[in-house]
Amino acid sequence: MRTSRLLAPAIIIIVLALIYTGGASVQSVLTLTMVYATIGLGWNIIGGYAGQTSFGHALFVGIGAYTVVLLQREWDVSPLVGVWAGITLAVLAALLIGWPTFRLSGVYFSLATLAYPLMAMPLLTWLGLQEVLVPYRNTGGGFYLQFADPRWLTLCALALLLVAVGISLRIQKSDFGESLIAIREDAVAAAAAGIHVQRRKLQAYCVSAAMTAAAGALYASVLYVVTPDSVFGLLVSVQALIIPIVGGRGTVWGPIIGSVLLITLAEQLNAELGSRLPGINGLMFGAALILLVLLAREGLLWRAIDIVARFRRRRETGGRPPAEAPSHRPDLTELAALTRGAANAERPILTVENLRKSFNGVKVLDGVDFEVRPGEILGVIGPNGAGKTTLLNIVNGFVDADGGHIRFTDQDVSATPPHERANLGIGRTFQTPRPLPRCSVERNVQISALHRPERSATVRGALRATGLWARAGAAVGDLDIGELRRLELARALAGRPAVLLVDEILAGLSSDQADDIVTLLRAIADQGVAVILIEHTMGAMLRLADRLVVLEAGTVITSGPPQAVVADRRVVAAYLGSKWSSHA
Amino acid sequence: MNDLLQYAISGLMTGGVIALLSTGLALIFGVMGVVNFAHGDAVMVAMYTALLISTGTAIPGIAIAVLLLPVFMAVGWLLHLVLIGRLAQSVDGRPAERDHDAQLLLTLGLSLILQNAALMIFGSDPRGGGGVQEPIKVAGLVLDPQRLLAFAIALLVSGALFVVLNRTAFGRGLRAAASDPVAAQYCGIEVKRAHRAAFAIGTGLAGVGGALLATFYPIQPFVSLDFIILMFAAVVLGGLGSVPGACVGGLLIGLIQGLGQIFLPLQLQTLTGFLVFLLILFVRPQGIFGKAVRV
């Protein structure tokens, strides 16, 4: 970060010097590079930060370009005004693509993004707009973005690029940007942490479309003649995505580096070979795509960051692995601020009524009822396939029940989406931890507390309570399984839960690792949080649970205090088979 | 009324070839989980190849189609060996979300190379479009013999594929690898080889389809852009990844496009495919047969 603060002004000065001294060909390469860097930055918002690869950003370039040109030709509207119309149309188009496809898997988005610009081409041909000239309107003041001195146009491109960089930096530092990254790294974990995945994707797509359309509007002034192929063409879409990917997606510098490399190369190739070998540019971009995928999937910048980090680590540790992680003592002093203990501990905070669910005709849950009170630890046990994880998924909203109700406080949340349930106070952990792979421990925890005023205190409290405070800056790849499980808890705690769903958190842990978590869960419950625990380890369950619910074949066969339940014959039969129940 | 029937029939004829192409695309998606953006360009290469063969010799169009099937299967097999299969698969045999993108980028790169190489070799002028043959008249309807033949062969090949997929051990292996790669692996099915086979067959079908198209459709380097939307629409209409669905989807798209000729101007005819695509996306993303692929 510090390097970029020094680098940025230096680069701007160099670009300004180039603009001042360069001849016409330098101006044109510079302008194109900056326009495409802006397009790449636009793509980067949805494709880089949010991780949704768009294969058709030419749509927005084309909408921006055609809108300003047609507005100027028909009604003499300045591009400076027309660009806003272009942006508006592009955002509408983004909504039209994003709204239906973001509900579905990524394939539909890929298909739709590729299809839309391809369809714009015959439409424009039919409208008789195969070739639209930018009307000559040199008023002297540059009001129509037409200048006697081409250096002014280059300056305009620089100005637009700087605006795009500014917006990207703002997003990168914002909670909005954090939620996009969480969605990219693990959309399921993001939803469980209370992030509205669909809405965030859609917002990112709209911002992306707007930025790209603005660049497209300027591109029209660079081209003079706008044709369907030059702005809606496949090659434009490819450049929009390959520039940020080559440079490094999800970074501000990536699209700039990619544009400098590729656009300079493309212009050079065009000048040398373009007349003899039409299509040389397309061939080059195709080959670049394939090489990129095979050799440097993450892009040049990420590669460089990795190499630098490795080099630094080697210098600091002399090649030895880093020293043993500092010991982790859970510090529960700030726990009270993290939880939403209910005022009335006697009324159930969560009630499940007659829950039913079948998968392909197989009944997984068949009329399950239970309730849980604030401060209570409810253990759900049952043999494999009894429906425990499905139950948890239904309570947190990942799976829709076929029938029945879930009430949280006085509210029926049966139809509430998972992120809203998380925000209401239903937190959960995953049996297989779902850390965001390329984020630090702290950022992993933070995603549950985005857009909250007391965010940093919450994250600190959650990290302290789970004993991860000393590891806040560590990469999640360096955590052991015990730490990953505590990370799951920390993330759930940062969402300030009133009900906490815990899925087999002790499985596969050593007894020391398990003890830490048992103590922590007890402390969380003592703050008035209702904990619903799924666990195979009977010993831990007997120690922890205030009450047990036994599921078998989708129904509750018994419930009550742990000691009474384990003595129940039906429970022994369910676990060990009826043969053993007579011995119990 | 006769007009309506005429348009419907000529649409259905083209629909047969679209069905064949979409079947290949759906097979690749169904087994590998990858949308092959270069599928249309394999068709383009087959069209040029068929054109070159037919102008030099007296070999009829059907014979070329038969000839191109093994040739393009070999090409597909090789492409998967040296390029597509190079990407690391995750444990379950299916590409992870990030790798999924990588496969799409790879096929997009391939598509660009094929299009622009064709542009360099053959130039941008359209070629071919089929010799003039005496149209057949049946009950007042005019039938183009080349289209009729293409339609028949397309249906025949698609039918053969269903038989292979459903009635042979090899086909069951492919379907197993498609529905649950991990379980298939445990049952002794080599998933990577299944992927390679699916890609080879899919590309082989593109070869046949291209040869058939070349008998009546003009060829230019970017001809795939005319078909790609129609193929997407057919595949989505049939339910993403469903092979029989894609076949029926292709026929329907042909029919709809044929009827669209009645009220749509020439340049807008591909729009009907797009409108169908849009409509499915909004109304019934699971298509006619399949389940929607949800997040």
Side-chain angles (χ1 to χ4, degrees), chain A residues 496-519:
Chain A
R496 303 186 69 232
V499 174
L500 183 59
L501 313 172
V502 181
D503 193 357
E504 298 210 20
I505 200 163
L506 300 175
L509 297 188
S510 72
S511 62
D512 280 356
Q513 288 171 328
D515 282 347
D516 283 348
I517 287 178
V518 167
T519 318

PDB file of all heavy atoms in Angstrom, chain A residues 496-519:
ATOM      1  N   ARG A 496     -23.245 -11.481  16.499  1.00  0.00           N
ATOM      2  CA  ARG A 496     -24.001 -11.235  17.728  1.00  0.00           C
ATOM      3  C   ARG A 496     -25.266 -12.093  17.780  1.00  0.00           C
ATOM      4  O   ARG A 496     -26.384 -11.572  17.770  1.00  0.00           O
ATOM      5  CB  ARG A 496     -24.339  -9.756  17.876  1.00  0.00           C
ATOM      6  CG  ARG A 496     -23.086  -8.884  17.844  1.00  0.00           C
ATOM      7  CD  ARG A 496     -23.367  -7.431  18.122  1.00  0.00           C
ATOM      8  NE  ARG A 496     -23.753  -7.221  19.491  1.00  0.00           N
ATOM      9  CZ  ARG A 496     -24.854  -6.571  19.858  1.00  0.00           C
ATOM     10  NH1 ARG A 496     -25.676  -6.089  18.959  1.00  0.00           N
ATOM     11  NH2 ARG A 496     -25.143  -6.401  21.120  1.00  0.00           N
ATOM     12  N   PRO A 497     -25.094 -13.412  17.887  1.00  0.00           N
ATOM     13  CA  PRO A 497     -26.255 -14.306  17.811  1.00  0.00           C
ATOM     14  C   PRO A 497     -27.063 -14.336  19.104  1.00  0.00           C
ATOM     15  O   PRO A 497     -26.527 -14.098  20.187  1.00  0.00           O
ATOM     16  CB  PRO A 497     -25.599 -15.671  17.580  1.00  0.00           C
ATOM     17  CG  PRO A 497     -24.271 -15.557  18.262  1.00  0.00           C
ATOM     18  CD  PRO A 497     -23.836 -14.132  18.086  1.00  0.00           C
ATOM     19  N   ALA A 498     -28.348 -14.617  18.964  1.00  0.00           N
ATOM     20  CA  ALA A 498     -29.181 -14.940  20.118  1.00  0.00           C
ATOM     21  C   ALA A 498     -29.406 -16.440  20.159  1.00  0.00           C
ATOM     22  O   ALA A 498     -29.652 -17.014  21.204  1.00  0.00           O
ATOM     23  CB  ALA A 498     -30.523 -14.212  20.016  1.00  0.00           C
ATOM     24  N   VAL A 499     -29.348 -17.062  18.951  1.00  0.00           N
ATOM     25  CA  VAL A 499     -29.387 -18.513  18.844  1.00  0.00           C
ATOM     26  C   VAL A 499     -28.155 -18.921  18.048  1.00  0.00           C
ATOM     27  O   VAL A 499     -27.849 -18.320  17.029  1.00  0.00           O
ATOM     28  CB  VAL A 499     -30.656 -18.989  18.094  1.00  0.00           C
ATOM     29  CG1 VAL A 499     -30.606 -20.484  17.869  1.00  0.00           C
ATOM     30  CG2 VAL A 499     -31.898 -18.598  18.859  1.00  0.00           C
ATOM     31  N   LEU A 500     -27.441 -19.925  18.540  1.00  0.00           N
ATOM     32  CA  LEU A 500     -26.232 -20.354  17.851  1.00  0.00           C
ATOM     33  C   LEU A 500     -26.375 -21.831  17.486  1.00  0.00           C
ATOM     34  O   LEU A 500     -26.584 -22.668  18.355  1.00  0.00           O
ATOM     35  CB  LEU A 500     -25.011 -20.129  18.758  1.00  0.00           C
ATOM     36  CG  LEU A 500     -23.636 -20.457  18.192  1.00  0.00           C
ATOM     37  CD1 LEU A 500     -23.364 -19.643  16.941  1.00  0.00           C
ATOM     38  CD2 LEU A 500     -22.565 -20.156  19.240  1.00  0.00           C
ATOM     39  N   LEU A 501     -26.276 -22.120  16.173  1.00  0.00           N
ATOM     40  CA  LEU A 501     -26.370 -23.506  15.708  1.00  0.00           C
ATOM     41  C   LEU A 501     -24.955 -24.025  15.494  1.00  0.00           C
ATOM     42  O   LEU A 501     -24.189 -23.439  14.749  1.00  0.00           O
ATOM     43  CB  LEU A 501     -27.139 -23.575  14.388  1.00  0.00           C
ATOM     44  CG  LEU A 501     -28.453 -22.785  14.340  1.00  0.00           C
ATOM     45  CD1 LEU A 501     -29.014 -22.783  12.923  1.00  0.00           C
ATOM     46  CD2 LEU A 501     -29.463 -23.391  15.296  1.00  0.00           C
ATOM     47  N   VAL A 502     -24.615 -25.108  16.176  1.00  0.00           N
ATOM     48  CA  VAL A 502     -23.236 -25.595  16.138  1.00  0.00           C
ATOM     49  C   VAL A 502     -23.229 -27.023  15.593  1.00  0.00           C
ATOM     50  O   VAL A 502     -23.810 -27.924  16.188  1.00  0.00           O
ATOM     51  CB  VAL A 502     -22.613 -25.559  17.547  1.00  0.00           C
ATOM     52  CG1 VAL A 502     -21.176 -26.038  17.486  1.00  0.00           C
ATOM     53  CG2 VAL A 502     -22.678 -24.145  18.107  1.00  0.00           C
ATOM     54  N   ASP A 503     -22.577 -27.210  14.432  1.00  0.00           N
ATOM     55  CA  ASP A 503     -22.622 -28.497  13.739  1.00  0.00           C
ATOM     56  C   ASP A 503     -21.328 -29.274  13.943  1.00  0.00           C
ATOM     57  O   ASP A 503     -20.301 -28.934  13.366  1.00  0.00           O
ATOM     58  CB  ASP A 503     -22.883 -28.244  12.243  1.00  0.00           C
ATOM     59  CG  ASP A 503     -23.266 -29.516  11.508  1.00  0.00           C
ATOM     60  OD1 ASP A 503     -23.274 -30.589  12.135  1.00  0.00           O
ATOM     61  OD2 ASP A 503     -23.553 -29.428  10.310  1.00  0.00           O
ATOM     62  N   GLU A 504     -21.369 -30.313  14.779  1.00  0.00           N
ATOM     63  CA  GLU A 504     -20.246 -31.220  15.014  1.00  0.00           C
ATOM     64  C   GLU A 504     -18.914 -30.501  15.132  1.00  0.00           C
ATOM     65  O   GLU A 504     -17.983 -30.762  14.393  1.00  0.00           O
ATOM     66  CB  GLU A 504     -20.161 -32.249  13.877  1.00  0.00           C
ATOM     67  CG  GLU A 504     -21.410 -33.094  13.841  1.00  0.00           C
ATOM     68  CD  GLU A 504     -21.146 -34.490  13.318  1.00  0.00           C
ATOM     69  OE1 GLU A 504     -19.974 -34.915  13.348  1.00  0.00           O
ATOM     70  OE2 GLU A 504     -22.109 -35.133  12.897  1.00  0.00           O
ATOM     71  N   ILE A 505     -18.837 -29.604  16.067  1.00  0.00           N
ATOM     72  CA  ILE A 505     -17.644 -28.777  16.163  1.00  0.00           C
ATOM     73  C   ILE A 505     -16.483 -29.524  16.821  1.00  0.00           C
ATOM     74  O   ILE A 505     -15.338 -29.124  16.695  1.00  0.00           O
ATOM     75  CB  ILE A 505     -17.977 -27.468  16.919  1.00  0.00           C
ATOM     76  CG1 ILE A 505     -16.932 -26.417  16.590  1.00  0.00           C
ATOM     77  CG2 ILE A 505     -18.122 -27.694  18.418  1.00  0.00           C
ATOM     78  CD1 ILE A 505     -17.328 -25.030  16.922  1.00  0.00           C
ATOM     79  N   LEU A 506     -16.766 -30.626  17.505  1.00  0.00           N
ATOM     80  CA  LEU A 506     -15.696 -31.330  18.226  1.00  0.00           C
ATOM     81  C   LEU A 506     -15.106 -32.489  17.436  1.00  0.00           C
ATOM     82  O   LEU A 506     -14.069 -33.033  17.817  1.00  0.00           O
ATOM     83  CB  LEU A 506     -16.232 -31.860  19.560  1.00  0.00           C
ATOM     84  CG  LEU A 506     -16.767 -30.791  20.504  1.00  0.00           C
ATOM     85  CD1 LEU A 506     -17.388 -31.442  21.733  1.00  0.00           C
ATOM     86  CD2 LEU A 506     -15.672 -29.838  20.923  1.00  0.00           C
ATOM     87  N   ALA A 507     -15.761 -32.845  16.298  1.00  0.00           N
ATOM     88  CA  ALA A 507     -15.327 -34.030  15.571  1.00  0.00           C
ATOM     89  C   ALA A 507     -13.864 -33.921  15.154  1.00  0.00           C
ATOM     90  O   ALA A 507     -13.442 -32.933  14.567  1.00  0.00           O
ATOM     91  CB  ALA A 507     -16.210 -34.233  14.342  1.00  0.00           C
ATOM     92  N   GLY A 508     -13.088 -34.912  15.496  1.00  0.00           N
ATOM     93  CA  GLY A 508     -11.706 -34.987  15.043  1.00  0.00           C
ATOM     94  C   GLY A 508     -10.727 -34.105  15.804  1.00  0.00           C
ATOM     95  O   GLY A 508      -9.581 -33.970  15.393  1.00  0.00           O
ATOM     96  N   LEU A 509     -11.173 -33.499  16.923  1.00  0.00           N
ATOM     97  CA  LEU A 509     -10.249 -32.648  17.681  1.00  0.00           C
ATOM     98  C   LEU A 509      -9.567 -33.455  18.786  1.00  0.00           C
ATOM     99  O   LEU A 509     -10.111 -34.436  19.290  1.00  0.00           O
ATOM    100  CB  LEU A 509     -11.002 -31.475  18.316  1.00  0.00           C
ATOM    101  CG  LEU A 509     -11.661 -30.486  17.366  1.00  0.00           C
ATOM    102  CD1 LEU A 509     -12.180 -29.283  18.150  1.00  0.00           C
ATOM    103  CD2 LEU A 509     -10.691 -30.018  16.287  1.00  0.00           C
ATOM    104  N   SER A 510      -8.381 -33.008  19.174  1.00  0.00           N
ATOM    105  CA  SER A 510      -7.723 -33.622  20.322  1.00  0.00           C
ATOM    106  C   SER A 510      -8.466 -33.189  21.583  1.00  0.00           C
ATOM    107  O   SER A 510      -9.249 -32.239  21.563  1.00  0.00           O
ATOM    108  CB  SER A 510      -6.274 -33.161  20.391  1.00  0.00           C
ATOM    109  OG  SER A 510      -6.240 -31.811  20.804  1.00  0.00           O
ATOM    110  N   SER A 511      -8.217 -33.862  22.728  1.00  0.00           N
ATOM    111  CA  SER A 511      -9.014 -33.535  23.908  1.00  0.00           C
ATOM    112  C   SER A 511      -8.712 -32.119  24.403  1.00  0.00           C
ATOM    113  O   SER A 511      -9.604 -31.426  24.877  1.00  0.00           O
ATOM    114  CB  SER A 511      -8.779 -34.569  25.011  1.00  0.00           C
ATOM    115  OG  SER A 511      -7.423 -34.537  25.398  1.00  0.00           O
ATOM    116  N   ASP A 512      -7.473 -31.648  24.230  1.00  0.00           N
ATOM    117  CA  ASP A 512      -7.152 -30.260  24.602  1.00  0.00           C
ATOM    118  C   ASP A 512      -7.941 -29.277  23.757  1.00  0.00           C
ATOM    119  O   ASP A 512      -8.547 -28.329  24.265  1.00  0.00           O
ATOM    120  CB  ASP A 512      -5.654 -29.989  24.408  1.00  0.00           C
ATOM    121  CG  ASP A 512      -4.844 -30.524  25.561  1.00  0.00           C
ATOM    122  OD1 ASP A 512      -5.470 -31.024  26.521  1.00  0.00           O
ATOM    123  OD2 ASP A 512      -3.604 -30.446  25.490  1.00  0.00           O
ATOM    124  N   GLN A 513      -7.906 -29.524  22.440  1.00  0.00           N
ATOM    125  CA  GLN A 513      -8.624 -28.632  21.521  1.00  0.00           C
ATOM    126  C   GLN A 513     -10.113 -28.645  21.850  1.00  0.00           C
ATOM    127  O   GLN A 513     -10.765 -27.605  21.856  1.00  0.00           O
ATOM    128  CB  GLN A 513      -8.417 -29.095  20.070  1.00  0.00           C
ATOM    129  CG  GLN A 513      -7.010 -28.837  19.547  1.00  0.00           C
ATOM    130  CD  GLN A 513      -6.791 -29.513  18.196  1.00  0.00           C
ATOM    131  OE1 GLN A 513      -7.350 -30.569  17.916  1.00  0.00           O
ATOM    132  NE2 GLN A 513      -5.972 -28.894  17.355  1.00  0.00           N
ATOM    133  N   ALA A 514     -10.649 -29.842  22.155  1.00  0.00           N
ATOM    134  CA  ALA A 514     -12.069 -29.963  22.453  1.00  0.00           C
ATOM    135  C   ALA A 514     -12.417 -29.239  23.758  1.00  0.00           C
ATOM    136  O   ALA A 514     -13.438 -28.561  23.839  1.00  0.00           O
ATOM    137  CB  ALA A 514     -12.458 -31.436  22.535  1.00  0.00           C
ATOM    138  N   ASP A 515     -11.536 -29.357  24.775  1.00  0.00           N
ATOM    139  CA  ASP A 515     -11.800 -28.709  26.066  1.00  0.00           C
ATOM    140  C   ASP A 515     -11.984 -27.209  25.920  1.00  0.00           C
ATOM    141  O   ASP A 515     -12.893 -26.617  26.513  1.00  0.00           O
ATOM    142  CB  ASP A 515     -10.662 -29.012  27.044  1.00  0.00           C
ATOM    143  CG  ASP A 515     -10.793 -30.422  27.608  1.00  0.00           C
ATOM    144  OD1 ASP A 515     -11.875 -31.026  27.417  1.00  0.00           O
ATOM    145  OD2 ASP A 515      -9.821 -30.909  28.206  1.00  0.00           O
ATOM    146  N   ASP A 516     -11.095 -26.578  25.131  1.00  0.00           N
ATOM    147  CA  ASP A 516     -11.220 -25.137  24.885  1.00  0.00           C
ATOM    148  C   ASP A 516     -12.609 -24.788  24.384  1.00  0.00           C
ATOM    149  O   ASP A 516     -13.236 -23.828  24.840  1.00  0.00           O
ATOM    150  CB  ASP A 516     -10.213 -24.706  23.803  1.00  0.00           C
ATOM    151  CG  ASP A 516      -8.802 -24.598  24.356  1.00  0.00           C
ATOM    152  OD1 ASP A 516      -8.671 -24.631  25.587  1.00  0.00           O
ATOM    153  OD2 ASP A 516      -7.860 -24.488  23.547  1.00  0.00           O
ATOM    154  N   ILE A 517     -13.071 -25.587  23.433  1.00  0.00           N
ATOM    155  CA  ILE A 517     -14.345 -25.260  22.795  1.00  0.00           C
ATOM    156  C   ILE A 517     -15.510 -25.532  23.731  1.00  0.00           C
ATOM    157  O   ILE A 517     -16.467 -24.754  23.794  1.00  0.00           O
ATOM    158  CB  ILE A 517     -14.473 -26.030  21.464  1.00  0.00           C
ATOM    159  CG1 ILE A 517     -13.523 -25.386  20.458  1.00  0.00           C
ATOM    160  CG2 ILE A 517     -15.901 -26.016  20.943  1.00  0.00           C
ATOM    161  CD1 ILE A 517     -13.476 -26.029  19.121  1.00  0.00           C
ATOM    162  N   VAL A 518     -15.422 -26.605  24.520  1.00  0.00           N
ATOM    163  CA  VAL A 518     -16.478 -26.901  25.492  1.00  0.00           C
ATOM    164  C   VAL A 518     -16.640 -25.751  26.482  1.00  0.00           C
ATOM    165  O   VAL A 518     -17.750 -25.263  26.743  1.00  0.00           O
ATOM    166  CB  VAL A 518     -16.176 -28.234  26.222  1.00  0.00           C
ATOM    167  CG1 VAL A 518     -17.085 -28.394  27.434  1.00  0.00           C
ATOM    168  CG2 VAL A 518     -16.366 -29.402  25.269  1.00  0.00           C
ATOM    169  N   THR A 519     -15.506 -25.259  27.016  1.00  0.00           N
ATOM    170  CA  THR A 519     -15.540 -24.127  27.944  1.00  0.00           C
ATOM    171  C   THR A 519     -16.191 -22.916  27.289  1.00  0.00           C
ATOM    172  O   THR A 519     -17.026 -22.226  27.887  1.00  0.00           O
ATOM    173  CB  THR A 519     -14.098 -23.736  28.348  1.00  0.00           C
ATOM    174  OG1 THR A 519     -13.363 -24.918  28.586  1.00  0.00           O
ATOM    175  CG2 THR A 519     -14.098 -22.843  29.561  1.00  0.00           C
TER     176      THR A 519
END
